Amino acid sequence: MSEVKTVENMVSITIDGTEYQAKEGEFILNAARANDIFVPAICYLTRCSPTLACRICLVEADGKQVYSCNTKVKEGMEVTIDTPNILEERRAIMEVYDVNHPLQCGVCDQSGECELQNYTLELGVDSQSYMIPDTKRESANWSSVLHYDPGLCIVCERCTTVCKDMIGDAAITTTKRGGADLDKAYKETMPKDAYSMWNKLQKSVIAPSNGTGETNCSDCGECIAVCPVGALVSRDFVYSSNAWDLKRIPAVAAHTSDGAQVYYEVKPTSIEDRTEKIYRVTNEWSFVSLDGSARFAYDFQNTIASKDEAAFTAAIEAFKKADTVRFNAMVTNEEAMMLQTLKEKMGVKLYNPEVRAFQKFLNHYEAASGNSLWSTDTDAIMKNSDFVISIGSALRNDSPAMKYAYNNVQKMNKGSGLYFHPVGDTLIPTFGKNIETFNHKVGLEEAALYLVLGLFADKEKLPSDVKEYIESFIKSSTKTIKEKEVKTVKEMVLNEETGEEEEVSKKVTEMVEKEITVITNGLVDLLGGDASKFDATFEKMMKKKESFSMMLGEDLYYHDKAENIAKLVALIEATCDIDVVMTPPKSNALGVALICDLDDAQSGYTVGYNENGDFKLSALGTGDLDMPAMNQQEGTLCNIGKRVLPTNAAIEYNGYELNDLMKELIGAPELTIDWTETLPTQRGFKAVAFDSLTNSFDNDGTDNRGYRLETSNVETELPEVEKCDEGAVLEGEIAYRCNPARQFNDFTEKSHQIFETFSLYVSTEKAESLGEKVEIVFENGSITLDVVADEKMIGDIVKVPDFRAAEGVYDLFGGSRYQTVTLRKV
Ligand code: SF4
Ligand code: SF4
Ligand code: FES
């Protein structure tokens, strides 16, 4: 089994007379960067399309002046970075950018890390040759987190590009500014690229694309991250700190399993209070894109002042009498290892409903496929895949990394996509022209996998019963259609010269009836698609497609037929040319699944770790003994990319840690990070000390953070799969366990810049019928929630969030992510 195919033929090029190797098809700019060579560039974003907004990346390639961000390398190409003409253009471009740019660097939030400042100095702009009357431009708040100052904006379009090509929201765009016209004389006198750039700059400004003045987007803040100047900033960060005062702590975004790289940026709270606090989160935005929880949910630390010895003693007693330790995915690998060791030494049950279903699914998958883990990751998909299938995941809510990859494939790789999910979503189809969505009934995920097998499998490799079953859905019928037919008819016409009638041939078009054979796939109908059109649509989607990938989500792990689904996934991998990635549900679900022997249920006296229990350890500061939050911990986390990533403590913690309890209970080592090299090698971990883990990217984007888990692949027979259980379909009023896009757990809710409430999320139509508040009645209990309309949702299914552990939503849903419920207006 291979990763998504990487075709990386190398070519030789010379840059300023020195020979370098570059990936075939790579832009000159990226090739230069990969070889550690600097070419000035402002508007280009790696992983997004070139916009040619800045034109400063001019170079000479084989004697011709080109933009290095959109010109591909060729074998033997000779590149010169600076020529006298290019230097003149670049200097003029920078002068233009500086025309009327407000002189407020002293108070600007970007000062010290501003690319306008940097390039102005780099290109030696010490005088100004151009001028134009300025236009008044008003600052605006676009959302709860976004602040835009058009006076500072250089219209580089990085923000609009990242939002469209990476995030997929396309929530902002360029719009008319109504600036003064350039003096005509400049056209003749100034360098031509600088003139064109200025002409556009003078006419444009950025605005929410829906025309309302508000973005209504996922509030990821990625536009803020990529803005080279102080035009787009977080409302919270405005005037709060100078960049150079902040200390950067490299860490891993804690709330999702994306494992995105982040820097917590810290400094003392005030002159009087020297306790450090996090002022903002930044990222290596060329290689990593964050979601709203990673960027804004950072202030969830436990600010306990000292060690509570009495509580510590009580905790030891609680553990001694515990039958169960209940915890969730918000733990490091080291903590998971402590709990596993506790189980081995003291015989407690480990109960973790967030992870258990995923762990079982992985076990089924390994037994069926011989592979210990899935075959690809989201980075590889973005680089190489041009056809992506998503099954079992509410892409907009579950995994930002999956959503970004799904979108990026459409935008950058001219991709196609199939999206299967019971909850309709208006955003997904906007990612690209070749996306077919199936809003199928709850329970039909097996049918989706059978459809994939039918469409992509090498039929020679399929077991005969599976082949027959798939073929049983293919129906052939005849249909009468009307078609244009060109006929030749003869008629007699009078020849005016001779006065005699002559026979002439003439072509006429007639509508004729015709019988044709129509092949339809019953699985398409079963999944809510239009079988009469699907064949033609699919043929179009498949044009020039070479690299296929499939994203699987949490719905599948909690499915009644999860074992059969895991086998179907294994069969797809064995018979189709499709690589697979699975979303670990929440934070460190993969690490916990690999390290801990989890139990199916809890019983007896329970110690809860950030979960309900008879005795509660809590990093939220709401339990019987305080624990450090993830931004106060050193340790490692596993992510969707199958990497073991080091994270560091950004904020001081003064209380006890889990390791302190373990020292008393089972004789643990001195420090939490002493556990890092004891992580189980038989599950793919390496015996590497925490302090030797690397934490960086190469200039070409190669991820060197931590290490990749070793995976094992054993030859196995094809799994025996069951037919799709059409009877398993849920009917009636259905609730889906699903969070709003920026909420994942109690810690996101605690953060002051995350505003989504613990409510029932429904489509606009459904909201009208439900009113303001409803009681959602399950078989084993009920919960009452305010109703919130999510404009991007379609259909009747309602979303119940699970991000507040104390609400016990996992217990209400039991072993499934969907449940039939009764909705009672309150
Ligand atoms: S807001 Fe920033 S990123 Fe967006 S166009 Fe203006 S300068 Fe560029
Ligand atoms: S916050 Fe994210 S989704 Fe919203 S406009 Fe910025 S990049 Fe787009
Ligand atoms: S970086 Fe190439 S045109 Fe801006």
Side-chain angles (χ1 to χ4, degrees):
M1 187 186 48
S2 64
E3 298 271 313
V4 167
K5 287 161 289 305
T6 313
V7 188
E8 279 183 0
N9 294 334
M10 302 302 278
V11 296
S12 295
I13 58 169
T14 60
I15 301 178
D16 290 341
T18 307
E19 192 174 317
Y20 297 97
Q21 294 296 300
K23 287 180 203 160
E24 191 178 18
E26 185 66 281
F27 294 130
I28 296 171
L29 179 62
N30 286 337
R33 286 175 172 176
N35 285 293
D36 297 335
I37 298 164
F38 172 70
V39 178
I42 294 180
C43 68
Y44 179 70
L45 289 172
T46 324
R47 310 181 298 159
C48 296
S49 6
T51 58
L52 302 188
C54 79
R55 304 185 177 216
I56 206 165
C57 68
L58 282 168
V59 295
E60 199 174 270
D62 291 339
K64 234 174 100 191
Q65 206 162 289
V66 296
Y67 306 110
S68 63
C69 70
N70 87 331
T71 308
K72 292 181 175 170
V73 293
K74 280 196 289 210
E75 178 60 39
M77 185 182 252
E78 287 180 12
V79 177
T80 308
I81 296 176
D82 299 333
T83 66
N85 192 50
I86 288 171
L87 287 173
E88 200 190 330
E89 284 278 12
R90 285 201 201 122
R91 154 117 196 177
I93 287 168
M94 283 321 295
E95 281 191 45
V96 165
Y97 276 140
D98 288 331
V99 170
N100 293 338
H101 193 86
L103 291 172
Q104 59 181 57
C105 296
V107 294
C108 179
D109 290 300
Q110 195 78 0
S111 201
E113 55 184 11
C114 171
E115 291 180 43
L116 188 66
Q117 284 176 340
N118 293 349
Y119 279 116
T120 301
L121 288 173
E122 172 77 28
L123 301 178
V125 179
D126 52 4
S127 60
Q128 181 56 273
S129 321
Y130 313 110
M131 63 178 182
I132 195 161
D134 203 358
T135 334
K136 189 169 182 199
R137 286 161 277 169
E138 298 286 352
S139 294
N141 289 328
W142 284 342
S143 76
S144 51
V145 290
L146 302 175
H147 177 81
Y148 176 60
D149 183 345
L152 297 171
C153 177
I154 59 168
V155 200
C156 67
E157 297 178 33
R158 273 196 204 166
C159 53
T160 56
T161 307
V162 79
C163 191
K164 174 170 68 67
D165 289 352
M166 181 56 61
I167 309 305
D169 282 27
I172 44 180
T173 185
T174 47
T175 187
K176 280 193 187 139
R177 164 176 152 189
D181 289 336
L182 301 191
D183 185 336
K184 292 265 179 323
Y186 285 137
K187 189 162 190 184
E188 310 306 324
T189 55
M190 70 188 286
K192 108 178 155 9
D193 275 294
Y195 178 82
S196 311
M197 188 282 285
W198 193 11
N199 207 14
K200 191 165 165 237
L201 169 68
Q202 191 59 18
K203 290 178 182 153
S204 318
V205 80
I206 308 295
S209 19
N210 57 14
T212 67
E214 289 181 11
T215 47
N216 184 24
C217 62
S218 53
D219 270 346
C220 67
E222 204 58 15
C223 49
I224 295 171
V226 300
C227 183
V229 293
L232 257 174
V233 272
S234 133
R235 286 173 66 178
D236 191 71
F237 187 69
V238 176
Y239 300 143
S240 66
S241 178
N242 292 315
W244 56 85
D245 284 337
L246 295 164
K247 190 169 71 188
R248 287 178 141 194
I249 312 292
V252 178
H255 307 298
T256 72
S257 58
D258 298 355
Q261 170 276 337
V262 293
Y263 296 111
Y264 290 120
E265 301 213 355
V266 302
K267 73 168 190 179
T269 307
S270 65
I271 290 176
E272 298 76 33
D273 181 357
R274 305 310 289 165
T275 326
E276 289 196 327
K277 76 168 196 179
I278 301 170
Y279 278 72
R280 65 174 178 181
V281 162
T282 53
N283 56 320
E284 296 288 351
W285 43 261
S286 288
F287 313 127
V288 178
S289 302
L290 302 185
D291 71 299
S293 74
R295 184 169 306 283
F296 298 110
Y298 54 74
D299 52 335
F300 53 87
Q301 62 272 12
N302 191 1
T303 51
I304 171 143
S306 63
K307 294 184 171 172
D308 180 342
E309 283 180 34
F312 184 76
T313 309
I316 296 292
E317 290 313 309
F319 269 106
K320 282 185 181 160
K321 64 177 173 188
D323 299 297
T324 304
V325 177
R326 179 172 180 165
F327 63 115
N328 55 37
M330 198 70 160
V331 293
T332 60
N333 291 323
E334 290 69 18
E335 289 180 304
M337 193 64 201
M338 291 177 207
L339 294 173
Q340 175 60 19
T341 312
L342 190 77
K343 174 172 188 161
E344 286 162 16
K345 296 202 172 176
M346 294 178 62
V348 289
K349 283 185 180 162
L350 296 182
Y351 183 53
N352 188 330
E354 266 187 16
V355 179
R356 179 61 179 141
F358 175 58
Q359 183 180 54
K360 278 185 175 170
F361 189 85
L362 281 182
N363 293 343
H364 293 317
Y365 167 74
E366 183 168 7
S369 67
N371 307 321
S372 59
L373 286 176
W374 51 92
S375 52
T376 189
D377 60 61
T378 45
D379 280 347
I381 289 175
M382 286 198 278
K383 272 194 196 125
N384 305 303
S385 184
D386 52 19
F387 198 117
V388 59
I389 304 160
S390 170
I391 305 178
S393 184
L395 215 47
R396 191 160 56 85
N397 308 66
D398 287 356
S399 166
M402 292 279 212
K403 175 196 161 194
Y404 297 169
Y406 193 99
N407 170 61
N408 196 249
V409 163
Q410 312 305 322
K411 301 285 174 21
M412 301 306 296
N413 307 348
K414 296 196 180 93
S416 293
L418 293 172
Y419 180 71
F420 299 89
H421 203 267
V423 181
D425 192 305
T426 56
L427 189 71
I428 310 294
T430 67
F431 291 170
K433 283 191 221 124
N434 290 319
I435 294 176
E436 197 63 10
T437 56
F438 291 87
N439 295 136
H440 59 81
K441 289 195 169 162
V442 175
L444 286 179
E445 287 74 10
E446 288 166 295
L449 293 161
Y450 270 112
L451 179 62
V452 171
L453 273 173
L455 295 172
F456 294 94
D458 176 345
K459 306 291 183 296
E460 300 298 309
K461 289 186 187 166
L462 277 182
S464 55
D465 58 329
V466 176
K467 201 169 138 197
E468 275 163 30
Y469 177 59
I470 291 170
E471 280 167 1
S472 73
F473 287 96
I474 308 294
K475 298 275 178 286
S476 158
S477 57
T478 51
K479 187 171 148 187
T480 309
I481 57 161
K482 284 192 175 169
E483 219 178 50
K484 279 184 188 165
E485 199 174 277
V486 180
K487 283 189 175 164
T488 307
V489 290
K490 295 199 165 116
E491 58 183 32
M492 300 304 287
V493 290
L494 183 72
N495 185 328
E496 283 177 7
E497 273 180 23
T498 60
E500 284 177 14
E501 283 213 324
E502 282 178 0
E503 189 183 81
V504 292
S505 296
K506 201 173 138 191
K507 291 208 182 311
V508 291
T509 307
E510 277 179 17
M511 294 306 284
V512 291
E513 287 199 341
K514 208 172 159 187
E515 264 205 350
I516 57 161
T517 309
V518 186
I519 310 283
T520 52
N521 189 336
L523 280 167
V524 173
D525 276 336
L526 181 64
L527 289 159
D530 182 347
S532 66
K533 293 191 182 139
F534 184 74
D535 255 19
T537 311
F538 187 67
E539 200 184 319
K540 205 172 127 221
M541 291 171 81
M542 286 293 281
K543 270 197 187 133
K544 297 193 187 154
K545 299 299 177 281
E546 290 175 346
S547 179
F548 304 88
S549 49
M550 183 163 72
M551 304 168 164
L552 303 177
E554 199 180 330
D555 299 5
L556 306 182
Y557 321 146
Y558 285 90
H559 201 284
D560 280 352
K561 301 286 298 295
E563 182 170 358
N564 193 45
I565 284 177
K567 287 180 181 172
L568 283 166
V569 171
L571 191 58
I572 287 173
E573 281 195 306
T575 59
C576 309
D577 200 4
I578 295 179
D579 294 289
V580 169
V581 59
M582 298 179 194
T583 315
K586 312 272 175 76
S587 306
N588 193 27
L590 177 57
V592 174
L594 292 174
I595 294 165
C596 297
D597 295 329
L598 298 175
D599 292 276
D600 283 324
Q602 70 186 96
S603 63
Y605 189 85
T606 299
V607 173
Y609 182 13
N610 293 324
E611 288 284 335
N612 293 336
D614 299 304
F615 187 93
K616 200 170 160 191
L617 313 176
S618 170
L620 292 157
T622 55
D624 302 303
L625 179 70
D626 284 289
M627 288 281 116
M630 200 62 96
N631 57 6
Q632 297 170 296
Q633 291 211 51
E634 275 186 328
T636 58
L637 300 165
C638 295
N639 77 341
I640 196 168
K642 299 176 288 183
R643 296 192 82 83
V644 180
L645 305 164
T647 193
N648 294 294
I651 299 289
E652 197 185 359
Y653 172 71
N654 298 311
Y656 289 104
E657 297 178 6
L658 192 62
N659 194 48
D660 295 322
L661 290 164
M662 294 305 130
K663 280 187 212 165
E664 293 288 320
L665 290 163
I666 51 172
E670 184 57 27
L671 300 171
T672 295
I673 53 168
D674 292 335
W675 289 87
T676 310
E677 50 194 320
T678 74
L679 298 173
T681 47
Q682 71 279 15
R683 301 316 312 270
F685 291 91
K686 294 182 182 170
V688 182
F690 180 81
D691 288 334
S692 16
L693 295 174
T694 49
N695 204 348
S696 64
F697 289 88
D698 286 345
N699 269 355
D700 68 355
T702 305
D703 190 347
N704 294 318
R705 297 175 305 147
Y707 61 87
R708 199 179 268 268
L709 285 159
E710 301 276 357
T711 48
S712 56
N713 312 108
V714 180
E715 277 295 314
T716 42
E717 300 275 301
L718 288 183
E720 280 182 29
V721 291
E722 290 169 21
K723 290 179 181 167
C724 164
D725 183 1
E726 292 175 46
V729 166
L730 278 195
E731 301 283 0
E733 201 76 81
I734 296 169
Y736 178 45
R737 181 174 54 70
C738 182
N739 288 317
R742 304 199 312 159
Q743 291 280 20
F744 290 91
N745 49 44
D746 286 296
F747 301 96
T748 53
E749 191 179 23
K750 186 178 177 184
S751 304
H752 81 284
Q753 289 184 82
I754 304 292
F755 306 105
E756 287 100 337
T757 52
F758 193 84
S759 303
L760 188 72
Y761 289 84
V762 304
S763 65
T764 315
E765 247 182 15
K766 189 80 176 169
E768 278 166 22
S769 71
L770 287 177
E772 285 180 8
K773 200 186 255 291
V774 287
E775 183 187 12
I776 306 110
V777 185
F778 293 78
E779 239 177 39
N780 56 348
S782 75
I783 186 167
T784 300
L785 297 171
D786 289 337
V787 174
V788 171
D790 175 344
E791 287 171 19
K792 296 189 176 90
M793 272 175 77
I794 313 174
D796 270 345
I797 296 177
V798 299
K799 289 180 180 169
V800 177
D802 63 39
F803 62 81
R804 236 184 236 170
E807 301 281 353
V809 170
Y810 274 88
D811 300 335
L812 288 173
F813 276 86
S816 176
R817 223 185 148 183
Y818 296 91
Q819 282 296 348
T820 45
V821 292
T822 306
L823 299 177
R824 287 196 196 127
K825 288 190 195 185
V826 176

